[in-house]
mmCIF file of all heavy atoms in Angstrom:
data_model
loop_
_atom_site.group_PDB
_atom_site.id
_atom_site.type_symbol
_atom_site.label_atom_id
_atom_site.label_comp_id
_atom_site.label_asym_id
_atom_site.label_seq_id
_atom_site.Cartn_x
_atom_site.Cartn_y
_atom_site.Cartn_z
ATOM 1 N N SER A 194 134.574 127.192 35.116
ATOM 2 C CA SER A 194 134.752 127.294 33.662
ATOM 3 C C SER A 194 134.382 128.689 33.179
ATOM 4 O O SER A 194 135.079 129.279 32.339
ATOM 5 C CB SER A 194 133.887 126.252 32.941
ATOM 6 O OG SER A 194 134.419 124.959 33.074
ATOM 7 N N VAL A 195 133.283 129.220 33.686
ATOM 8 C CA VAL A 195 132.846 130.559 33.290
ATOM 9 C C VAL A 195 133.883 131.593 33.693
ATOM 10 O O VAL A 195 134.254 132.472 32.901
ATOM 11 C CB VAL A 195 131.474 130.890 33.916
ATOM 12 C CG1 VAL A 195 131.097 132.340 33.650
ATOM 13 C CG2 VAL A 195 130.398 129.958 33.357
ATOM 14 N N GLN A 196 134.372 131.514 34.930
ATOM 15 C CA GLN A 196 135.359 132.488 35.396
ATOM 16 C C GLN A 196 136.644 132.417 34.573
ATOM 17 O O GLN A 196 137.232 133.459 34.232
ATOM 18 C CB GLN A 196 135.679 132.242 36.867
ATOM 19 C CG GLN A 196 136.596 133.298 37.483
ATOM 20 C CD GLN A 196 135.956 134.666 37.513
ATOM 21 O OE1 GLN A 196 135.069 134.926 38.315
ATOM 22 N NE2 GLN A 196 136.398 135.558 36.635
ATOM 23 N N PHE A 197 137.076 131.220 34.235
ATOM 24 C CA PHE A 197 138.266 131.077 33.401
ATOM 25 C C PHE A 197 138.070 131.763 32.051
ATOM 26 O O PHE A 197 138.956 132.480 31.562
ATOM 27 C CB PHE A 197 138.599 129.601 33.189
ATOM 28 C CG PHE A 197 139.731 129.366 32.226
ATOM 29 C CD1 PHE A 197 141.043 129.494 32.633
ATOM 30 C CD2 PHE A 197 139.478 129.047 30.895
ATOM 31 C CE1 PHE A 197 142.089 129.297 31.745
ATOM 32 C CE2 PHE A 197 140.521 128.851 29.999
ATOM 33 C CZ PHE A 197 141.832 128.974 30.431
ATOM 34 N N LEU A 198 136.918 131.557 31.437
ATOM 35 C CA LEU A 198 136.645 132.151 30.128
ATOM 36 C C LEU A 198 136.596 133.669 30.205
ATOM 37 O O LEU A 198 137.061 134.367 29.287
ATOM 38 C CB LEU A 198 135.336 131.600 29.571
ATOM 39 C CG LEU A 198 135.379 130.132 29.139
ATOM 40 C CD1 LEU A 198 133.970 129.590 28.935
ATOM 41 C CD2 LEU A 198 136.199 129.954 27.866
ATOM 42 N N LEU A 199 136.043 134.223 31.273
ATOM 43 C CA LEU A 199 136.000 135.680 31.423
ATOM 44 C C LEU A 199 137.407 136.254 31.533
ATOM 45 O O LEU A 199 137.709 137.310 30.968
ATOM 46 C CB LEU A 199 135.179 136.046 32.656
ATOM 47 C CG LEU A 199 133.673 135.796 32.548
ATOM 48 C CD1 LEU A 199 132.991 136.079 33.878
ATOM 49 C CD2 LEU A 199 133.060 136.647 31.449
ATOM 50 N N LEU A 200 138.271 135.559 32.247
ATOM 51 C CA LEU A 200 139.656 136.017 32.361
ATOM 52 C C LEU A 200 140.396 135.890 31.033
ATOM 53 O O LEU A 200 141.075 136.827 30.589
ATOM 54 C CB LEU A 200 140.384 135.213 33.438
ATOM 55 C CG LEU A 200 140.051 135.566 34.883
ATOM 56 C CD1 LEU A 200 140.519 134.467 35.818
ATOM 57 C CD2 LEU A 200 140.700 136.894 35.265
ATOM 58 N N ALA A 201 140.279 134.743 30.398
ATOM 59 C CA ALA A 201 141.028 134.483 29.165
ATOM 60 C C ALA A 201 140.569 135.378 28.024
ATOM 61 O O ALA A 201 141.341 135.637 27.086
ATOM 62 C CB ALA A 201 140.884 133.020 28.762
ATOM 63 N N ASN A 202 139.327 135.852 28.077
ATOM 64 C CA ASN A 202 138.792 136.728 27.025
ATOM 65 C C ASN A 202 138.624 138.167 27.488
ATOM 66 O O ASN A 202 137.888 138.938 26.865
ATOM 67 C CB ASN A 202 137.448 136.187 26.547
ATOM 68 C CG ASN A 202 137.579 134.899 25.762
ATOM 69 O OD1 ASN A 202 137.989 134.889 24.603
ATOM 70 N ND2 ASN A 202 137.220 133.783 26.401
ATOM 71 N N SER A 203 139.294 138.534 28.574
ATOM 72 C CA SER A 203 139.128 139.879 29.132
ATOM 73 C C SER A 203 139.625 140.974 28.196
ATOM 74 O O SER A 203 139.230 142.135 28.326
ATOM 75 C CB SER A 203 139.841 139.980 30.484
ATOM 76 O OG SER A 203 141.217 139.652 30.359
ATOM 77 N N HIS A 204 140.458 140.618 27.241
ATOM 78 C CA HIS A 204 140.962 141.591 26.267
ATOM 79 C C HIS A 204 139.999 141.793 25.103
ATOM 80 O O HIS A 204 140.180 142.695 24.288
ATOM 81 C CB HIS A 204 142.289 141.093 25.703
ATOM 82 C CG HIS A 204 142.138 139.848 24.880
ATOM 83 N ND1 HIS A 204 141.864 138.621 25.465
ATOM 84 C CD2 HIS A 204 142.176 139.632 23.535
ATOM 85 C CE1 HIS A 204 141.762 137.705 24.505
ATOM 86 N NE2 HIS A 204 141.949 138.292 23.340
ATOM 87 N N HIS A 205 138.990 140.946 25.019
ATOM 88 C CA HIS A 205 138.081 140.893 23.869
ATOM 89 C C HIS A 205 136.823 141.699 24.205
ATOM 90 O O HIS A 205 135.956 141.237 24.941
ATOM 91 C CB HIS A 205 137.733 139.432 23.580
ATOM 92 C CG HIS A 205 136.999 139.210 22.298
ATOM 93 N ND1 HIS A 205 136.177 140.131 21.711
ATOM 94 C CD2 HIS A 205 136.958 138.121 21.482
ATOM 95 C CE1 HIS A 205 135.651 139.647 20.613
ATOM 96 N NE2 HIS A 205 136.116 138.419 20.459
ATOM 97 N N GLU A 206 136.699 142.890 23.651
ATOM 98 C CA GLU A 206 135.615 143.793 24.022
ATOM 99 C C GLU A 206 134.237 143.219 23.710
ATOM 100 O O GLU A 206 133.282 143.454 24.437
ATOM 101 C CB GLU A 206 135.785 145.140 23.303
ATOM 102 C CG GLU A 206 137.002 145.931 23.773
ATOM 103 C CD GLU A 206 137.104 147.283 23.087
ATOM 104 O OE1 GLU A 206 136.183 147.598 22.290
ATOM 105 O OE2 GLU A 206 138.084 148.001 23.347
ATOM 106 N N GLY A 207 134.103 142.472 22.647
ATOM 107 C CA GLY A 207 132.790 141.982 22.259
ATOM 108 C C GLY A 207 132.378 140.679 22.934
ATOM 109 O O GLY A 207 131.245 140.227 22.753
ATOM 110 N N PHE A 208 133.278 140.098 23.712
ATOM 111 C CA PHE A 208 132.982 138.787 24.275
ATOM 112 C C PHE A 208 131.942 138.841 25.386
ATOM 113 O O PHE A 208 131.040 138.000 25.444
ATOM 114 C CB PHE A 208 134.271 138.152 24.805
ATOM 115 C CG PHE A 208 134.077 136.816 25.461
ATOM 116 C CD1 PHE A 208 133.958 135.660 24.698
ATOM 117 C CD2 PHE A 208 133.990 136.697 26.844
ATOM 118 C CE1 PHE A 208 133.768 134.420 25.297
ATOM 119 C CE2 PHE A 208 133.810 135.471 27.450
ATOM 120 C CZ PHE A 208 133.692 134.331 26.672
ATOM 121 N N LEU A 209 132.062 139.815 26.292
ATOM 122 C CA LEU A 209 131.246 139.827 27.491
ATOM 123 C C LEU A 209 129.750 139.834 27.206
ATOM 124 O O LEU A 209 128.994 139.033 27.770
ATOM 125 C CB LEU A 209 131.609 141.025 28.364
ATOM 126 C CG LEU A 209 132.940 140.955 29.105
ATOM 127 C CD1 LEU A 209 133.156 142.220 29.921
ATOM 128 C CD2 LEU A 209 132.986 139.745 30.013
ATOM 129 N N GLY A 210 129.316 140.736 26.340
ATOM 130 C CA GLY A 210 127.891 140.853 26.067
ATOM 131 C C GLY A 210 127.304 139.592 25.466
ATOM 132 O O GLY A 210 126.248 139.118 25.906
ATOM 133 N N LEU A 211 127.981 139.041 24.487
ATOM 134 C CA LEU A 211 127.490 137.832 23.830
ATOM 135 C C LEU A 211 127.497 136.645 24.793
ATOM 136 O O LEU A 211 126.552 135.842 24.812
ATOM 137 C CB LEU A 211 128.354 137.521 22.603
ATOM 138 C CG LEU A 211 127.910 136.333 21.740
ATOM 139 C CD1 LEU A 211 126.495 136.537 21.229
ATOM 140 C CD2 LEU A 211 128.875 136.145 20.568
ATOM 141 N N PHE A 212 128.533 136.545 25.599
ATOM 142 C CA PHE A 212 128.620 135.444 26.555
ATOM 143 C C PHE A 212 127.491 135.539 27.579
ATOM 144 O O PHE A 212 126.868 134.539 27.938
ATOM 145 C CB PHE A 212 129.985 135.483 27.251
ATOM 146 C CG PHE A 212 130.332 134.232 28.018
ATOM 147 C CD1 PHE A 212 129.957 132.974 27.579
ATOM 148 C CD2 PHE A 212 131.082 134.317 29.191
ATOM 149 C CE1 PHE A 212 130.297 131.819 28.279
ATOM 150 C CE2 PHE A 212 131.428 133.178 29.904
ATOM 151 C CZ PHE A 212 131.029 131.933 29.448
ATOM 152 N N ALA A 213 127.204 136.760 28.048
ATOM 153 C CA ALA A 213 126.134 136.948 29.024
ATOM 154 C C ALA A 213 124.791 136.513 28.449
ATOM 155 O O ALA A 213 123.990 135.848 29.128
ATOM 156 C CB ALA A 213 126.069 138.403 29.456
ATOM 157 N N GLU A 214 124.533 136.850 27.202
ATOM 158 C CA GLU A 214 123.278 136.454 26.561
ATOM 159 C C GLU A 214 123.153 134.941 26.499
ATOM 160 O O GLU A 214 122.088 134.374 26.759
ATOM 161 C CB GLU A 214 123.202 137.037 25.153
ATOM 162 C CG GLU A 214 123.037 138.552 25.105
ATOM 163 C CD GLU A 214 123.032 139.069 23.682
ATOM 164 O OE1 GLU A 214 122.944 138.236 22.735
ATOM 165 O OE2 GLU A 214 123.123 140.293 23.495
ATOM 166 N N ARG A 215 124.242 134.280 26.165
ATOM 167 C CA ARG A 215 124.211 132.825 26.015
ATOM 168 C C ARG A 215 124.117 132.110 27.364
ATOM 169 O O ARG A 215 123.588 130.998 27.447
ATOM 170 C CB ARG A 215 125.460 132.361 25.266
ATOM 171 C CG ARG A 215 125.458 132.789 23.800
ATOM 172 C CD ARG A 215 126.760 132.445 23.115
ATOM 173 N NE ARG A 215 126.701 132.712 21.676
ATOM 174 C CZ ARG A 215 127.737 132.637 20.853
ATOM 175 N NH1 ARG A 215 128.941 132.318 21.339
ATOM 176 N NH2 ARG A 215 127.609 132.885 19.575
ATOM 177 N N LEU A 216 124.612 132.751 28.420
ATOM 178 C CA LEU A 216 124.570 132.124 29.730
ATOM 179 C C LEU A 216 123.173 132.116 30.347
ATOM 180 O O LEU A 216 122.920 131.387 31.309
ATOM 181 C CB LEU A 216 125.528 132.835 30.694
ATOM 182 C CG LEU A 216 127.014 132.482 30.567
ATOM 183 C CD1 LEU A 216 127.844 133.386 31.451
ATOM 184 C CD2 LEU A 216 127.254 131.024 30.939
ATOM 185 N N ILE A 217 122.268 132.904 29.799
ATOM 186 C CA ILE A 217 120.919 132.980 30.348
ATOM 187 C C ILE A 217 120.280 131.602 30.434
ATOM 188 O O ILE A 217 119.630 131.251 31.410
ATOM 189 C CB ILE A 217 120.043 133.932 29.506
ATOM 190 C CG1 ILE A 217 120.518 135.376 29.699
ATOM 191 C CG2 ILE A 217 118.566 133.799 29.877
ATOM 192 C CD1 ILE A 217 119.818 136.369 28.789
ATOM 193 N N ARG A 218 120.499 130.788 29.399
ATOM 194 C CA ARG A 218 119.893 129.459 29.399
ATOM 195 C C ARG A 218 120.558 128.515 30.391
ATOM 196 O O ARG A 218 120.067 127.406 30.603
ATOM 197 C CB ARG A 218 119.950 128.852 27.992
ATOM 198 C CG ARG A 218 121.333 128.782 27.404
ATOM 199 C CD ARG A 218 121.297 128.210 25.990
ATOM 200 N NE ARG A 218 122.532 128.454 25.281
ATOM 201 C CZ ARG A 218 122.879 127.821 24.169
ATOM 202 N NH1 ARG A 218 122.095 126.901 23.667
ATOM 203 N NH2 ARG A 218 124.004 128.105 23.551
ATOM 204 N N CYS A 219 121.665 128.930 30.995
ATOM 205 C CA CYS A 219 122.348 128.086 31.979
ATOM 206 C C CYS A 219 121.973 128.479 33.408
ATOM 207 O O CYS A 219 122.652 128.099 34.360
ATOM 208 C CB CYS A 219 123.860 128.180 31.795
ATOM 209 S SG CYS A 219 124.437 127.535 30.221
ATOM 210 N N SER A 220 120.914 129.272 33.549
ATOM 211 C CA SER A 220 120.340 129.603 34.860
ATOM 212 C C SER A 220 121.264 130.455 35.726
ATOM 213 O O SER A 220 121.241 130.343 36.957
ATOM 214 C CB SER A 220 119.961 128.311 35.622
ATOM 215 O OG SER A 220 119.054 127.551 34.872
ATOM 216 N N PHE A 221 122.062 131.323 35.137
ATOM 217 C CA PHE A 221 122.832 132.237 35.953
ATOM 218 C C PHE A 221 121.946 133.429 36.310
ATOM 219 O O PHE A 221 120.932 133.683 35.666
ATOM 220 C CB PHE A 221 124.098 132.691 35.217
ATOM 221 C CG PHE A 221 123.887 133.890 34.329
ATOM 222 C CD1 PHE A 221 124.322 135.134 34.739
ATOM 223 C CD2 PHE A 221 123.258 133.766 33.101
ATOM 224 C CE1 PHE A 221 124.136 136.249 33.926
ATOM 225 C CE2 PHE A 221 123.073 134.867 32.282
ATOM 226 C CZ PHE A 221 123.518 136.114 32.692
ATOM 227 N N THR A 222 122.318 134.151 37.354
ATOM 228 C CA THR A 222 121.547 135.307 37.786
ATOM 229 C C THR A 222 122.356 136.582 37.562
ATOM 230 O O THR A 222 123.586 136.539 37.453
ATOM 231 C CB THR A 222 121.197 135.202 39.280
ATOM 232 O OG1 THR A 222 122.417 135.315 40.045
ATOM 233 C CG2 THR A 222 120.519 133.870 39.593
ATOM 234 N N PRO A 223 121.687 137.757 37.522
ATOM 235 C CA PRO A 223 122.437 139.012 37.411
ATOM 236 C C PRO A 223 123.463 139.188 38.529
ATOM 237 O O PRO A 223 124.539 139.734 38.318
ATOM 238 C CB PRO A 223 121.336 140.067 37.497
ATOM 239 C CG PRO A 223 120.124 139.386 36.956
ATOM 240 C CD PRO A 223 120.239 137.962 37.430
ATOM 241 N N LYS A 224 123.121 138.679 39.723
ATOM 242 C CA LYS A 224 124.067 138.763 40.839
ATOM 243 C C LYS A 224 125.323 137.953 40.539
ATOM 244 O O LYS A 224 126.441 138.391 40.835
ATOM 245 C CB LYS A 224 123.400 138.253 42.117
ATOM 246 C CG LYS A 224 124.289 138.333 43.354
ATOM 247 C CD LYS A 224 123.564 137.814 44.583
ATOM 248 C CE LYS A 224 124.466 137.852 45.810
ATOM 249 N NZ LYS A 224 123.771 137.333 47.012
#
Side-chain angles (χ1 to χ4, degrees):
S194 286
V195 173
Q196 186 64 74
F197 174 80
L198 290 166
L199 290 175
L200 284 164
N202 290 285
S203 57
H204 66 288
H205 190 331
E206 292 183 3
F208 178 81
L209 287 180
L211 184 58
F212 194 35
E214 291 177 11
R215 291 174 173 173
L216 281 173
I217 291 173
R218 56 182 165 164
C219 296
S220 302
F221 87 103
T222 67
K224 182 180 178 181

